Amino acid sequence: CSTGFLFFVCFAFSLTVGGRPFLVDAGTFAYHTERAWRHYFRGTSAHNTVMIDGEDQSVFGGPFLWLQHAAATVDEFVCSAEKQVLVAHHDGYRRLADPVRHRRTWLYHTASATLAICDELLCSGAHTAEIFWHFAPECQVACAGGCVVAAREGVRVELQPADGLAVTLVRGRTPEEGGDRPLGWISGGFDLKDPATTVVLTRRIRGNTRLNSLIRISDA
């Protein structure tokens, strides 16, 4: 498992098992053209992180212009043979009328091959929270028994979402079908894009909320 902060998209991360990509970064696709696609591929919903009220963490001003950048701060990092822990928060949603502070904790247990992810949303009012999980195009993804299961080449990754989250699987939705936001696409290079399954977990929250997700890795 690898984790990282992407350029102005906080707390997105990728997951590779035995050299096989499962959770992936969506890529770039275009720079100066295809405005809706450019907005999507660099936006929050194209990454494995949390979106609040349909707003991006950072504010765009043009194809290469940013008016406001989300800033991430690492609160804790622990790495041992038994477990790896990363805790961080960002301020991208401080601009909302009711500001939201997003704090994410990753806890990976080596022996059980499980990754626990806790998204803490600190706020006072009501908001819509969406968590996006972008799977590689090679993955076969389906809902089973309240979980999302992705499989490829003898490996199985099971995502167990927090209680109360609505689960939607989206693959290859175009701007015409989804208003101004495509969804369910991966770009492997400039001017290239392929449909891939994106899992969207949605919940209406009020006040401070914790959303826990658990990823289990096993043989298929």
Side-chain angles (χ1 to χ4, degrees):
C1 167
S2 62
T3 62
F5 301 127
L6 300 175
F7 196 60
F8 304 138
V9 181
C10 297
F11 306 165
F13 70 101
S14 59
L15 174 66
T16 299
V17 183
R20 304 171 183 86
F22 275 82
L23 294 175
V24 296
D25 174 61
T28 301
F29 179 61
Y31 292 97
H32 295 288
T33 59
E34 304 281 0
R35 180 178 179 181
W37 291 103
R38 171 64 172 159
H39 189 118
Y40 163 68
F41 276 104
R42 69 171 176 162
T44 301
S45 64
H47 298 87
N48 299 314
T49 190
V50 177
M51 173 179 269
I52 301 296
D53 295 338
E55 298 285 340
D56 289 300
Q57 294 171 357
S58 296
V59 180
F60 311 151
F64 286 92
L65 177 64
W66 299 84
L67 302 180
Q68 183 176 319
H69 303 154
T73 301
V74 174
D75 300 318
E76 181 183 357
F77 178 64
V78 176
C79 186
S80 69
E82 293 77 25
K83 67 178 182 180
Q84 295 87 53
V85 181
L86 175 61
V87 184
H89 69 272
H90 77 80
D91 64 357
Y93 293 116
R94 70 184 186 280
R95 71 183 188 273
L96 300 183
D98 176 57
V100 179
R101 180 182 180 186
H102 179 201
R103 187 170 188 254
R104 173 168 271 191
T105 299
W106 296 261
L107 172 57
Y108 180 73
H109 289 283
T110 305
S112 61
T114 58
L115 176 63
I117 302 162
C118 178
D119 289 304
E120 296 179 80
L121 305 174
L122 307 178
C123 56
S124 298
H127 300 273
T128 298
E130 295 173 283
I131 309 176
F132 297 90
W133 303 104
H134 299 270
F135 286 92
E138 298 82 2
C139 293
Q140 299 296 317
V141 185
C143 290
C147 296
V148 175
V149 177
R152 61 173 299 187
E153 302 168 65
V155 178
R156 171 188 171 104
V157 169
E158 181 180 295
L159 169 65
Q160 180 179 330
D163 292 339
L165 286 165
V167 181
T168 305
L169 273 59
V170 181
R171 183 180 177 89
R173 188 177 75 188
T174 65
E176 294 76 19
E177 295 169 326
D180 60 354
R181 189 175 76 183
L183 195 60
W185 296 90
I186 299 296
S187 174
F190 179 71
D191 206 29
L192 299 173
K193 64 180 186 295
D194 295 294
T197 301
T198 296
V199 177
V200 187
L201 308 178
T202 308
R203 179 176 162 184
R204 188 70 174 167
I205 66 168
R206 182 177 295 276
N208 296 343
T209 303
R210 287 190 178 191
L211 302 176
N212 296 299
S213 303
L214 181 65
I215 295 175
R216 299 184 182 91
I217 302 168
S218 62
D219 294 332

